[in-house]
mmCIF file of all heavy atoms in Angstrom:
data_model
loop_
_atom_site.group_PDB
_atom_site.id
_atom_site.type_symbol
_atom_site.label_atom_id
_atom_site.label_comp_id
_atom_site.label_asym_id
_atom_site.label_seq_id
_atom_site.Cartn_x
_atom_site.Cartn_y
_atom_site.Cartn_z
ATOM 1 N N ALA L 143 0.752 -1.151 -0.014
ATOM 2 C CA ALA L 143 -0.024 0.060 -0.013
ATOM 3 C C ALA L 143 0.893 1.260 -0.044
ATOM 4 O O ALA L 143 1.985 1.207 0.358
ATOM 5 C CB ALA L 143 -0.985 0.049 1.293
ATOM 6 N N GLU L 144 0.197 2.387 -0.429
ATOM 7 C CA GLU L 144 0.937 3.672 -0.337
ATOM 8 C C GLU L 144 1.193 4.040 1.155
ATOM 9 O O GLU L 144 0.166 3.930 2.014
ATOM 10 C CB GLU L 144 0.318 4.740 -1.068
ATOM 11 C CG GLU L 144 1.084 6.025 -1.150
ATOM 12 C CD GLU L 144 0.415 7.070 -2.092
ATOM 13 O OE1 GLU L 144 -0.391 6.655 -2.984
ATOM 14 O OE2 GLU L 144 0.730 8.258 -1.934
ATOM 15 N N TYR L 145 2.357 4.340 1.588
ATOM 16 C CA TYR L 145 2.647 4.565 2.983
ATOM 17 C C TYR L 145 2.804 6.088 3.306
ATOM 18 O O TYR L 145 3.471 6.768 2.621
ATOM 19 C CB TYR L 145 4.000 3.896 3.210
ATOM 20 C CG TYR L 145 4.361 4.031 4.725
ATOM 21 C CD1 TYR L 145 3.678 3.416 5.778
ATOM 22 C CD2 TYR L 145 5.537 4.643 5.071
ATOM 23 C CE1 TYR L 145 4.138 3.576 7.065
ATOM 24 C CE2 TYR L 145 6.073 4.793 6.270
ATOM 25 C CZ TYR L 145 5.341 4.139 7.354
ATOM 26 O OH TYR L 145 5.794 4.252 8.655
ATOM 27 N N HIS L 146 2.065 6.523 4.282
ATOM 28 C CA HIS L 146 2.190 7.968 4.756
ATOM 29 C C HIS L 146 2.573 7.942 6.241
ATOM 30 O O HIS L 146 1.935 7.489 7.062
ATOM 31 C CB HIS L 146 0.725 8.565 4.586
ATOM 32 C CG HIS L 146 0.078 8.473 3.250
ATOM 33 N ND1 HIS L 146 -0.090 9.418 2.346
ATOM 34 C CD2 HIS L 146 -0.716 7.341 2.665
ATOM 35 C CE1 HIS L 146 -0.689 9.054 1.404
ATOM 36 N NE2 HIS L 146 -1.027 7.704 1.477
ATOM 37 N N ARG L 147 3.740 8.479 6.431
ATOM 38 C CA ARG L 147 4.287 8.575 7.841
ATOM 39 C C ARG L 147 4.386 9.935 8.194
ATOM 40 O O ARG L 147 5.274 10.733 7.790
ATOM 41 C CB ARG L 147 5.703 7.927 7.918
ATOM 42 C CG ARG L 147 6.013 7.121 9.114
ATOM 43 C CD ARG L 147 6.069 7.910 10.317
ATOM 44 N NE ARG L 147 7.113 8.935 10.211
ATOM 45 C CZ ARG L 147 6.986 10.086 10.710
ATOM 46 N NH1 ARG L 147 5.930 10.509 11.504
ATOM 47 N NH2 ARG L 147 7.898 11.039 10.437
ATOM 48 N N ILE L 148 3.374 10.443 8.928
ATOM 49 C CA ILE L 148 3.342 11.758 9.486
ATOM 50 C C ILE L 148 2.814 11.933 10.889
ATOM 51 O O ILE L 148 1.793 11.396 11.189
ATOM 52 C CB ILE L 148 2.587 12.729 8.464
ATOM 53 C CG1 ILE L 148 2.540 14.183 9.064
ATOM 54 C CG2 ILE L 148 1.211 12.218 8.113
ATOM 55 C CD1 ILE L 148 2.084 15.167 7.988
ATOM 56 N N ASN L 149 3.555 12.342 11.873
ATOM 57 C CA ASN L 149 3.116 12.343 13.237
ATOM 58 C C ASN L 149 1.981 13.188 13.458
ATOM 59 O O ASN L 149 1.866 14.355 13.058
ATOM 60 C CB ASN L 149 4.291 12.791 14.246
ATOM 61 C CG ASN L 149 4.030 12.652 15.628
ATOM 62 O OD1 ASN L 149 3.003 12.063 15.937
ATOM 63 N ND2 ASN L 149 4.894 13.079 16.435
ATOM 64 N N ALA L 150 0.932 12.573 14.007
ATOM 65 C CA ALA L 150 -0.286 13.509 14.325
ATOM 66 C C ALA L 150 -0.228 14.293 15.661
ATOM 67 O O ALA L 150 -0.988 15.214 15.876
ATOM 68 C CB ALA L 150 -1.500 12.463 14.540
ATOM 69 N N MET L 151 0.893 14.096 16.337
ATOM 70 C CA MET L 151 0.968 14.843 17.603
ATOM 71 C C MET L 151 2.136 15.660 17.670
ATOM 72 O O MET L 151 3.319 15.177 17.658
ATOM 73 C CB MET L 151 0.958 13.792 18.853
ATOM 74 C CG MET L 151 0.887 14.278 20.206
ATOM 75 S SD MET L 151 -0.914 14.657 20.523
ATOM 76 C CE MET L 151 -1.553 13.142 20.886
ATOM 77 N N VAL L 152 1.961 16.908 17.782
ATOM 78 C CA VAL L 152 3.045 17.966 17.929
ATOM 79 C C VAL L 152 2.687 19.022 19.035
ATOM 80 O O VAL L 152 1.465 19.147 19.283
ATOM 81 C CB VAL L 152 3.283 18.684 16.610
ATOM 82 C CG1 VAL L 152 3.823 17.661 15.542
ATOM 83 C CG2 VAL L 152 2.162 19.416 16.036
ATOM 84 N N ASP L 153 3.715 19.504 19.610
ATOM 85 C CA ASP L 153 3.453 20.537 20.747
ATOM 86 C C ASP L 153 3.190 21.925 20.079
ATOM 87 O O ASP L 153 3.131 22.097 18.839
ATOM 88 C CB ASP L 153 4.584 20.516 21.697
ATOM 89 C CG ASP L 153 5.846 20.857 21.175
ATOM 90 O OD1 ASP L 153 5.965 21.630 20.167
ATOM 91 O OD2 ASP L 153 6.899 20.616 21.841
ATOM 92 N N GLY L 154 3.163 22.975 20.816
ATOM 93 C CA GLY L 154 2.900 24.256 20.382
ATOM 94 C C GLY L 154 3.939 24.780 19.472
ATOM 95 O O GLY L 154 3.670 25.645 18.689
ATOM 96 N N SER L 155 5.187 24.310 19.514
ATOM 97 C CA SER L 155 6.257 24.839 18.805
ATOM 98 C C SER L 155 6.351 24.002 17.417
ATOM 99 O O SER L 155 7.289 24.271 16.684
ATOM 100 C CB SER L 155 7.623 24.788 19.591
ATOM 101 O OG SER L 155 7.919 23.443 19.796
ATOM 102 N N GLY L 156 5.578 22.992 17.245
ATOM 103 C CA GLY L 156 5.706 22.115 16.112
ATOM 104 C C GLY L 156 6.546 20.912 16.404
ATOM 105 O O GLY L 156 6.727 20.142 15.373
ATOM 106 N N LYS L 157 7.184 20.770 17.463
ATOM 107 C CA LYS L 157 8.113 19.697 17.809
ATOM 108 C C LYS L 157 7.231 18.473 17.979
ATOM 109 O O LYS L 157 6.166 18.310 18.530
ATOM 110 C CB LYS L 157 8.905 19.891 19.174
ATOM 111 C CG LYS L 157 9.698 18.817 19.580
ATOM 112 C CD LYS L 157 10.399 19.108 20.798
ATOM 113 C CE LYS L 157 11.348 17.954 21.354
ATOM 114 N NZ LYS L 157 11.915 18.350 22.702
ATOM 115 N N GLN L 158 7.744 17.278 17.349
ATOM 116 C CA GLN L 158 7.065 16.035 17.419
ATOM 117 C C GLN L 158 7.080 15.537 18.879
ATOM 118 O O GLN L 158 7.938 15.531 19.642
ATOM 119 C CB GLN L 158 7.741 14.913 16.519
ATOM 120 C CG GLN L 158 7.738 15.221 15.040
ATOM 121 C CD GLN L 158 8.178 14.173 14.271
ATOM 122 O OE1 GLN L 158 7.835 12.959 14.497
ATOM 123 N NE2 GLN L 158 8.923 14.417 13.140
ATOM 124 N N VAL L 159 5.976 14.961 19.243
ATOM 125 C CA VAL L 159 5.656 14.377 20.593
ATOM 126 C C VAL L 159 5.602 12.965 20.455
ATOM 127 O O VAL L 159 4.792 12.384 19.649
ATOM 128 C CB VAL L 159 4.465 14.941 21.215
ATOM 129 C CG1 VAL L 159 4.287 14.259 22.622
ATOM 130 C CG2 VAL L 159 4.562 16.487 21.430
ATOM 131 N N GLN L 160 6.405 12.155 21.310
ATOM 132 C CA GLN L 160 6.252 10.678 21.380
ATOM 133 C C GLN L 160 4.998 10.370 22.323
ATOM 134 O O GLN L 160 5.047 10.608 23.463
ATOM 135 C CB GLN L 160 7.481 10.004 21.989
ATOM 136 C CG GLN L 160 8.609 9.705 20.940
ATOM 137 C CD GLN L 160 9.246 10.980 20.351
ATOM 138 O OE1 GLN L 160 9.035 11.225 19.127
ATOM 139 N NE2 GLN L 160 9.904 11.717 20.990
ATOM 140 N N PHE L 161 4.008 9.931 21.693
ATOM 141 C CA PHE L 161 2.616 9.683 22.410
ATOM 142 C C PHE L 161 2.523 8.246 22.619
ATOM 143 O O PHE L 161 1.233 7.868 22.707
ATOM 144 C CB PHE L 161 1.643 10.427 21.864
ATOM 145 C CG PHE L 161 0.688 11.122 22.841
ATOM 146 C CD1 PHE L 161 1.082 12.076 23.687
ATOM 147 C CD2 PHE L 161 -0.612 10.759 23.060
ATOM 148 C CE1 PHE L 161 0.388 12.677 24.711
ATOM 149 C CE2 PHE L 161 -1.427 11.225 24.029
ATOM 150 C CZ PHE L 161 -0.923 12.207 24.770
ATOM 151 N N ASP L 162 3.447 7.397 22.519
ATOM 152 C CA ASP L 162 3.275 5.970 22.836
ATOM 153 C C ASP L 162 3.113 5.829 24.428
ATOM 154 O O ASP L 162 3.286 6.836 25.100
ATOM 155 C CB ASP L 162 4.503 5.107 22.359
ATOM 156 C CG ASP L 162 5.773 5.548 22.892
ATOM 157 O OD1 ASP L 162 5.860 6.808 23.140
ATOM 158 O OD2 ASP L 162 6.581 4.705 23.114
ATOM 159 N N PRO L 163 2.850 4.660 24.995
ATOM 160 C CA PRO L 163 2.608 4.581 26.378
ATOM 161 C C PRO L 163 3.927 5.083 27.073
ATOM 162 O O PRO L 163 3.625 5.725 28.167
ATOM 163 C CB PRO L 163 2.482 3.116 26.637
ATOM 164 C CG PRO L 163 1.675 2.642 25.366
ATOM 165 C CD PRO L 163 2.279 3.491 24.305
ATOM 166 N N LYS L 164 5.070 4.731 26.687
ATOM 167 C CA LYS L 164 6.334 5.278 27.443
ATOM 168 C C LYS L 164 6.370 6.713 27.342
ATOM 169 O O LYS L 164 6.815 7.363 28.378
ATOM 170 C CB LYS L 164 7.609 4.565 26.607
ATOM 171 C CG LYS L 164 8.759 5.003 27.367
ATOM 172 C CD LYS L 164 10.113 4.231 26.616
ATOM 173 C CE LYS L 164 11.372 4.733 27.305
ATOM 174 N NZ LYS L 164 12.515 4.108 26.616
ATOM 175 N N GLY L 165 6.045 7.194 26.138
ATOM 176 C CA GLY L 165 6.046 8.623 26.027
ATOM 177 C C GLY L 165 5.141 9.434 26.884
ATOM 178 O O GLY L 165 5.340 10.521 27.555
ATOM 179 N N ILE L 166 3.957 8.838 27.058
ATOM 180 C CA ILE L 166 2.946 9.395 28.064
ATOM 181 C C ILE L 166 3.467 9.362 29.413
ATOM 182 O O ILE L 166 3.232 10.470 30.171
ATOM 183 C CB ILE L 166 1.617 8.531 27.894
ATOM 184 C CG1 ILE L 166 1.006 8.810 26.460
ATOM 185 C CG2 ILE L 166 0.563 9.166 28.949
ATOM 186 C CD1 ILE L 166 -0.215 7.955 26.260
ATOM 187 N N ALA L 167 4.020 8.262 29.840
ATOM 188 C CA ALA L 167 4.700 8.323 31.101
ATOM 189 C C ALA L 167 5.852 9.385 31.377
ATOM 190 O O ALA L 167 5.868 10.010 32.352
ATOM 191 C CB ALA L 167 5.295 6.889 31.358
ATOM 192 N N GLU L 168 6.535 9.568 30.294
ATOM 193 C CA GLU L 168 7.574 10.662 30.445
ATOM 194 C C GLU L 168 6.954 12.022 30.606
ATOM 195 O O GLU L 168 7.405 12.891 31.343
ATOM 196 C CB GLU L 168 8.523 10.559 29.167
ATOM 197 C CG GLU L 168 9.393 9.230 29.141
ATOM 198 C CD GLU L 168 10.330 9.236 30.408
ATOM 199 O OE1 GLU L 168 10.915 10.342 30.826
ATOM 200 O OE2 GLU L 168 10.402 8.181 30.972
ATOM 201 N N ILE L 169 5.913 12.199 29.874
ATOM 202 C CA ILE L 169 5.198 13.543 29.930
ATOM 203 C C ILE L 169 4.633 13.841 31.333
ATOM 204 O O ILE L 169 4.773 14.863 31.952
ATOM 205 C CB ILE L 169 3.998 13.503 28.855
ATOM 206 C CG1 ILE L 169 4.498 13.670 27.498
ATOM 207 C CG2 ILE L 169 3.109 14.715 29.184
ATOM 208 C CD1 ILE L 169 3.466 13.430 26.438
ATOM 209 N N ALA L 170 4.045 12.804 32.005
ATOM 210 C CA ALA L 170 3.632 12.760 33.341
ATOM 211 C C ALA L 170 4.784 13.185 34.300
ATOM 212 O O ALA L 170 4.483 13.895 35.245
ATOM 213 C CB ALA L 170 2.953 11.519 33.656
ATOM 214 N N LYS L 171 5.945 12.631 33.919
ATOM 215 C CA LYS L 171 7.102 13.003 34.957
ATOM 216 C C LYS L 171 7.508 14.321 34.733
ATOM 217 O O LYS L 171 7.940 15.030 35.772
ATOM 218 C CB LYS L 171 8.110 11.890 34.609
ATOM 219 C CG LYS L 171 7.902 10.520 35.025
ATOM 220 C CD LYS L 171 9.135 9.663 34.605
ATOM 221 C CE LYS L 171 8.977 8.199 35.002
ATOM 222 N NZ LYS L 171 10.082 7.376 34.565
ATOM 223 N N GLU L 172 7.610 14.817 33.536
ATOM 224 C CA GLU L 172 8.316 16.078 33.214
ATOM 225 C C GLU L 172 7.426 17.307 33.349
ATOM 226 O O GLU L 172 7.862 18.400 33.468
ATOM 227 C CB GLU L 172 8.745 16.017 31.723
ATOM 228 C CG GLU L 172 9.937 14.992 31.482
ATOM 229 C CD GLU L 172 10.388 14.977 30.015
ATOM 230 O OE1 GLU L 172 9.817 15.617 29.211
ATOM 231 O OE2 GLU L 172 11.045 13.939 29.716
ATOM 232 N N HIS L 173 6.158 17.045 33.341
ATOM 233 C CA HIS L 173 5.169 18.196 33.386
ATOM 234 C C HIS L 173 4.418 18.186 34.646
ATOM 235 O O HIS L 173 3.544 17.286 34.912
ATOM 236 C CB HIS L 173 4.286 18.256 32.226
ATOM 237 C CG HIS L 173 5.105 18.433 30.880
ATOM 238 N ND1 HIS L 173 5.211 19.685 30.315
ATOM 239 C CD2 HIS L 173 5.622 17.567 30.055
ATOM 240 C CE1 HIS L 173 5.922 19.592 29.197
ATOM 241 N NE2 HIS L 173 6.226 18.328 29.081
ATOM 242 N N ASP L 174 4.580 19.184 35.462
ATOM 243 C CA ASP L 174 3.737 19.246 36.673
ATOM 244 C C ASP L 174 2.303 19.313 36.431
ATOM 245 O O ASP L 174 1.410 18.863 37.096
ATOM 246 C CB ASP L 174 4.095 20.471 37.504
ATOM 247 C CG ASP L 174 5.550 20.416 38.115
ATOM 248 O OD1 ASP L 174 5.931 19.314 38.245
ATOM 249 O OD2 ASP L 174 6.185 21.366 38.409
ATOM 250 N N GLN L 175 1.909 19.960 35.276
ATOM 251 C CA GLN L 175 0.554 20.096 34.873
ATOM 252 C C GLN L 175 0.347 19.121 33.753
ATOM 253 O O GLN L 175 -0.055 19.469 32.647
ATOM 254 C CB GLN L 175 0.210 21.524 34.476
ATOM 255 C CG GLN L 175 0.459 22.548 35.474
ATOM 256 C CD GLN L 175 -0.396 22.362 36.650
ATOM 257 O OE1 GLN L 175 -1.534 21.905 36.607
ATOM 258 N NE2 GLN L 175 0.137 22.669 37.943
ATOM 259 N N ALA L 176 0.600 17.842 33.955
ATOM 260 C CA ALA L 176 0.535 16.848 32.922
ATOM 261 C C ALA L 176 -0.930 16.822 32.335
ATOM 262 O O ALA L 176 -1.045 16.616 31.096
ATOM 263 C CB ALA L 176 0.745 15.437 33.558
ATOM 264 N N ASN L 177 -1.989 16.875 33.071
ATOM 265 C CA ASN L 177 -3.296 16.840 32.535
ATOM 266 C C ASN L 177 -3.473 18.008 31.605
ATOM 267 O O ASN L 177 -4.110 17.882 30.495
ATOM 268 C CB ASN L 177 -4.338 17.021 33.765
ATOM 269 C CG ASN L 177 -4.476 15.661 34.454
ATOM 270 O OD1 ASN L 177 -3.988 14.662 33.955
ATOM 271 N ND2 ASN L 177 -4.933 15.744 35.698
ATOM 272 N N ASP L 178 -2.983 19.182 32.046
ATOM 273 C CA ASP L 178 -3.073 20.311 30.967
ATOM 274 C C ASP L 178 -2.395 20.095 29.760
ATOM 275 O O ASP L 178 -2.848 20.554 28.652
ATOM 276 C CB ASP L 178 -2.614 21.443 31.770
ATOM 277 C CG ASP L 178 -3.566 22.013 32.937
ATOM 278 O OD1 ASP L 178 -4.738 21.668 33.005
ATOM 279 O OD2 ASP L 178 -3.093 22.834 33.808
ATOM 280 N N PHE L 179 -1.250 19.603 29.765
ATOM 281 C CA PHE L 179 -0.422 19.272 28.691
ATOM 282 C C PHE L 179 -1.172 18.246 27.735
ATOM 283 O O PHE L 179 -1.157 18.440 26.605
ATOM 284 C CB PHE L 179 0.893 18.690 29.095
ATOM 285 C CG PHE L 179 1.847 18.432 27.964
ATOM 286 C CD1 PHE L 179 2.520 19.476 27.380
ATOM 287 C CD2 PHE L 179 1.954 17.149 27.478
ATOM 288 C CE1 PHE L 179 3.413 19.297 26.229
ATOM 289 C CE2 PHE L 179 2.865 16.938 26.303
ATOM 290 C CZ PHE L 179 3.532 17.943 25.844
ATOM 291 N N ILE L 180 -1.629 17.193 28.364
ATOM 292 C CA ILE L 180 -2.333 16.180 27.539
ATOM 293 C C ILE L 180 -3.642 16.763 26.884
ATOM 294 O O ILE L 180 -3.966 16.525 25.673
ATOM 295 C CB ILE L 180 -2.749 15.025 28.445
ATOM 296 C CG1 ILE L 180 -1.443 14.238 28.753
ATOM 297 C CG2 ILE L 180 -3.677 13.980 27.766
ATOM 298 C CD1 ILE L 180 -1.643 13.024 29.687
ATOM 299 N N GLN L 181 -4.318 17.699 27.672
ATOM 300 C CA GLN L 181 -5.510 18.334 27.115
ATOM 301 C C GLN L 181 -5.057 19.258 25.892
ATOM 302 O O GLN L 181 -5.720 19.244 24.884
ATOM 303 C CB GLN L 181 -6.070 19.160 28.181
ATOM 304 C CG GLN L 181 -7.031 18.466 29.047
ATOM 305 C CD GLN L 181 -7.914 19.212 29.960
ATOM 306 O OE1 GLN L 181 -7.821 20.449 30.020
ATOM 307 N NE2 GLN L 181 -8.964 18.659 30.571
ATOM 308 N N GLN L 182 -3.899 19.902 26.067
ATOM 309 C CA GLN L 182 -3.373 20.718 24.864
ATOM 310 C C GLN L 182 -3.219 19.882 23.710
ATOM 311 O O GLN L 182 -3.489 20.174 22.579
ATOM 312 C CB GLN L 182 -2.124 21.408 25.354
ATOM 313 C CG GLN L 182 -1.470 22.264 24.242
ATOM 314 C CD GLN L 182 -0.156 22.774 24.674
ATOM 315 O OE1 GLN L 182 0.361 22.521 25.684
ATOM 316 N NE2 GLN L 182 0.447 23.508 23.683
ATOM 317 N N MET L 183 -2.575 18.674 23.975
ATOM 318 C CA MET L 183 -2.348 17.828 22.779
ATOM 319 C C MET L 183 -3.575 17.313 22.054
ATOM 320 O O MET L 183 -3.738 17.397 20.858
ATOM 321 C CB MET L 183 -1.582 16.517 23.174
ATOM 322 C CG MET L 183 -0.096 16.773 23.804
ATOM 323 S SD MET L 183 0.994 17.513 22.505
ATOM 324 C CE MET L 183 0.948 19.237 22.922
ATOM 325 N N TYR L 184 -4.633 16.907 22.955
ATOM 326 C CA TYR L 184 -5.838 16.578 22.275
ATOM 327 C C TYR L 184 -6.742 17.703 21.750
ATOM 328 O O TYR L 184 -7.335 17.545 20.790
ATOM 329 C CB TYR L 184 -6.689 15.868 23.305
ATOM 330 C CG TYR L 184 -6.501 14.363 23.570
ATOM 331 C CD1 TYR L 184 -5.501 13.822 24.309
ATOM 332 C CD2 TYR L 184 -7.089 13.426 22.729
ATOM 333 C CE1 TYR L 184 -5.236 12.510 24.371
ATOM 334 C CE2 TYR L 184 -6.961 12.122 22.772
ATOM 335 C CZ TYR L 184 -5.839 11.690 23.702
ATOM 336 O OH TYR L 184 -5.715 10.321 23.663
ATOM 337 N N GLY L 185 -6.399 18.911 22.227
ATOM 338 C CA GLY L 185 -7.045 20.055 21.605
ATOM 339 C C GLY L 185 -6.460 20.397 20.315
ATOM 340 O O GLY L 185 -7.117 20.944 19.347
ATOM 341 N N ASN L 186 -5.144 20.036 20.045
ATOM 342 C CA ASN L 186 -4.496 20.304 18.796
ATOM 343 C C ASN L 186 -4.770 19.271 17.655
ATOM 344 O O ASN L 186 -4.623 19.382 16.570
ATOM 345 C CB ASN L 186 -3.010 20.326 18.899
ATOM 346 C CG ASN L 186 -2.612 21.603 19.696
ATOM 347 O OD1 ASN L 186 -3.256 22.561 19.772
ATOM 348 N ND2 ASN L 186 -1.385 21.508 20.285
#
């Protein structure tokens, strides 16, 4: 099949976000406001 590889998840600066289970765990560690960060991702 024709292959399209383009990350659906980027932060406000356009940086790619690893949003696999491991990446989500890292986000929770690095951001005091993890819920707000995840909401921002889902809002984008």
Side-chain angles (χ1 to χ4, degrees):
E144 185 172 341
Y145 180 69
H146 309 255
R147 219 289 310 143
I148 177 169
N149 191 6
M151 193 73 79
V152 296
D153 62 20
S155 66
K157 180 181 177 182
Q158 294 190 42
V159 176
Q160 274 65 251
F161 218 66
D162 59 327
K164 181 179 178 181
I166 294 173
E168 290 302 314
I169 288 169
K171 290 178 183 177
E172 295 174 6
H173 295 267
D174 292 334
Q175 304 296 325
N177 287 341
D178 290 342
F179 182 81
I180 291 174
Q181 281 191 345
Q182 178 188 356
M183 295 298 99
Y184 271 88
N186 291 337

